[in-house]
Amino acid sequence: MRKWKQRLFSLLLCAAMLFSLCMPASAAEGDVSFFYCDESGKNWKTGTCSTYKAVTEDTDEWEDSWYVAEGAVNIGRRVGVSGNVHLILKDSCELETEYGITLYEGASLTIYAQSDGEKMGKLTARYSGSTDAGIKVNSGSTITINGGEVTAYGSGGAGIGSVYRSEGGEITINGGKVTASSFSGAGIG
């Protein structure tokens, strides 16, 4: 009878460990400030986010939430964006996506910073394959950059925008420092 209890306990412990590995990243808490431009495109305001998900090297699907990047984070896969995603680049952060970012149709990505000086957070999205954009903005999707140092490299597609013979989405740059280039495509377009 004792071996049966030990086996049952071991099985339950193993199940609990597997369950914890399969759980999605939980939301973090704590106020994170950022600045943004209102809809007029002229007035800058300060906002605060209290509930968000921390960006880690495993965060390659950004879905309908607030995300905060802090420190040095390198995502070794292409990042997919769906729903309404808000990304805050904390001061001195260096977020890099080695294979770029794709905004799926109907998605929106809004990027914020905490300052506009030398300490502002950085996002680098590069794609060095054959035909994709650094930050691919598909038809029906939108990207708004309110701040941060955003650098995007494309190969056959734009740095920020669409790929050859494809309709792109809406691109709005209100602030920050943006550098977009491509081997054979547009910088932005």
Side-chain angles (χ1 to χ4, degrees):
M1 184 75 163
R2 186 171 186 182
K3 286 185 179 183
W4 178 83
K5 287 181 181 179
Q6 287 176 336
R7 287 183 183 156
L8 178 62
F9 178 75
S10 296
L11 182 63
L12 289 173
L13 181 63
C14 187
M17 289 172 34
L18 285 173
F19 181 74
S20 70
L21 290 173
C22 295
M23 292 291 292
S26 60
E29 292 186 18
D31 291 344
V32 176
S33 63
F34 61 94
F35 65 86
Y36 65 98
C37 189
D38 69 9
E39 292 178 9
S40 73
K42 298 177 182 177
N43 300 312
W44 288 90
K45 298 183 177 190
T46 301
T48 303
C49 177
S50 298
T51 304
Y52 52 88
K53 296 176 181 178
V55 177
T56 68
E57 63 184 23
D58 296 321
T59 314
D60 62 353
E61 288 294 325
W62 300 346
E63 304 171 356
D64 213 17
S65 188
W66 284 81
Y67 291 83
V68 173
E70 182 174 16
V73 180
N74 185 315
I75 301 173
R77 294 166 303 286
R78 191 156 185 91
V79 173
V81 176
S82 59
N84 295 317
V85 172
H86 302 269
L87 173 65
I88 301 171
L89 301 171
K90 288 187 87 172
D91 279 347
S92 301
C93 98
E94 293 186 13
L95 172 60
E96 182 173 350
T97 62
E98 289 185 27
Y99 293 93
I101 299 172
T102 296
L103 279 70
Y104 301 126
E105 186 173 341
S108 71
L109 173 61
T110 306
I111 300 172
Y112 309 92
Q114 293 187 305
S115 67
D116 62 356
E118 289 182 25
K119 293 172 64 175
M120 74 178 153
K122 297 176 183 176
L123 166 64
T124 302
R126 68 179 78 241
Y127 185 78
S128 58
S130 60
T131 61
D132 227 331
I135 300 177
K136 186 176 183 180
V137 186
N138 283 310
S139 176
S141 60
T142 62
I143 183 170
T144 303
I145 301 172
N146 283 313
E149 187 173 329
V150 178
T151 305
Y153 301 103
S155 54
I160 301 174
S162 65
V163 296
Y164 182 67
R165 294 186 183 224
S166 294
E167 185 177 333
E170 184 177 329
I171 302 166
T172 303
I173 301 172
N174 293 320
K177 179 181 176 185
V178 178
T179 304
S181 60
S182 175
F183 179 74
S184 63
I188 299 176

